[in-house]
Structure formats: structure tokens, C-alpha cells
Amino acid sequence: MSELALTLARFTFLGLLWLFVVFALLALRKDLRGESASGTEVAATPARSQRGRKSGRTSRRSKVKGTRLVVTEGPLTGTEIPLEGAQITLGRAPDSTIVIDDDYASSRHARIYESEGAWVAEDLGSTNGTWIDRTRLTTPTVLPVGAPLRVGRTTLVIQK
């Protein structure tokens, strides 16, 4: 191999290495700022559930299947969160409803909210994904009672 070809190969490799570093830093910045996959800030609470309470309509809680979210695996095993119509946020951020201290969880990893009488799980653009059983969430998905929801090393289940 000639000296020129070897030098060009070295510079190409160095350029690719720097490109990888830049993309890694951009991903970290996005994760630390808590941005969703679309690049917009994640909303704190769903507006529809707030309007429903203010307008005097009766609560749909009686129609919703599942009344509590239980952590079945991970460092928070045994933790129970009552599901009362408000959304539950999961992630490493200190303002999350369930703070998951795990290297595989993003700051704003996922959320669970009520929609039309069912609990819906949504991945918020996490790096390692949110899983129901063995299916990775790509869109908001109904979370059935008893189905394991996995965020990093933590598994949660909706129970009656």
C-alpha cells in the first residue's frame, strides 16, 4: 500500500471517528434536555383530562381497567402507584412520578396515561426503548392489565 493511500485511510478513519463523537454528544444533549423524538418539549399533563374534570363531567375512572401500577422487577420492586386519571412519567429525571435510577433509562423515558377508558403507554424518544412483553413501543399503545411494561431493568404491571 502506498504512503498516500495509507494517509488517506487514516484521515478517513479519523473523520468517521469525529462524526461518531458529534452524534453521540447530540444524543446526550437531547436526552439531558428531555426532548421527545419530534424535538418538542414533553408536556407535563394531558390537557384533555384536566378539561374533563373542570367541565363537571363524571370521571371515567370506573370504566378504566386497572387501578394501580406495581413495580415487579428492579430496584423499586414492590412500589405501588394508584392510577387516578393523571399521567405517570417514568425516567431518571427527579420530577418523574417513578424515578428509575438505571443506566438503561432515559431522563424522560416513557409515560402512562388514560385515554378512552384504557391505560396507554408511550415511549418518549428513549434511547433503549420501552417494551410491552417482547414488543418495542413505537406508537402510543394500550397497556393491558397484567402485561409487563419494561423500562431499562425495571418491569411494571397494571393490576386491578
Side-chain angles (χ1 to χ4, degrees), residues 51-112:
R51 281 195 309 261
R53 287 192 184 127
K54 290 179 183 176
S55 67
R57 291 188 298 176
T58 59
S59 172
R60 286 191 268 164
R61 186 182 182 324
S62 60
K63 296 179 187 176
V64 177
K65 298 175 181 165
T67 58
R68 60 191 170 135
L69 184 66
V70 179
V71 180
T72 58
E73 291 180 25
L76 299 173
T77 300
T79 303
E80 294 185 16
I81 304 291
L83 298 171
E84 298 172 345
Q87 77 173 358
I88 307 262
T89 55
L90 309 163
R92 285 193 329 246
D95 61 342
S96 297
T97 309
I98 299 177
V99 179
I100 300 173
D101 188 24
D102 185 348
D103 292 339
Y104 296 103
S106 299
S107 296
R108 306 259 187 276
H109 196 98
R111 73 179 179 137
I112 300 170

Side-chain angles (χ1 to χ4, degrees), residues 3-72:
E3 187 68 30
L4 179 63
L6 187 58
T7 302
L8 286 175
R10 286 179 182 166
F11 280 122
T12 303
F13 177 71
L14 187 62
L16 290 173
L17 186 62
W18 273 108
L19 192 63
F20 172 76
V21 169
V22 167
F23 279 119
L25 289 175
L26 289 174
L28 284 171
R29 180 176 161 218
K30 178 182 165 188
D31 190 40
L32 290 174
R33 287 189 178 191
E35 296 175 0
S36 69
S38 64
T40 58
E41 195 67 26
V42 177
T45 57
R48 188 175 70 197
S49 65
Q50 295 298 326
R51 281 195 309 261
R53 287 192 184 127
K54 290 179 183 176
S55 67
R57 291 188 298 176
T58 59
S59 172
R60 286 191 268 164
R61 186 182 182 324
S62 60
K63 296 179 187 176
V64 177
K65 298 175 181 165
T67 58
R68 60 191 170 135
L69 184 66
V70 179
V71 180
T72 58

Side-chain angles (χ1 to χ4, degrees), residues 96-148:
S96 297
T97 309
I98 299 177
V99 179
I100 300 173
D101 188 24
D102 185 348
D103 292 339
Y104 296 103
S106 299
S107 296
R108 306 259 187 276
H109 196 98
R111 73 179 179 137
I112 300 170
Y113 60 95
E114 180 209 346
S115 177
E116 299 179 12
W119 292 106
V120 177
E122 177 182 17
D123 184 80
L124 299 176
S126 65
T127 305
N128 294 312
T130 304
W131 302 77
I132 295 178
D133 287 327
R134 293 181 181 194
T135 306
R136 185 174 183 155
L137 297 182
T138 55
T139 60
T141 305
V142 173
L143 182 60
V145 174

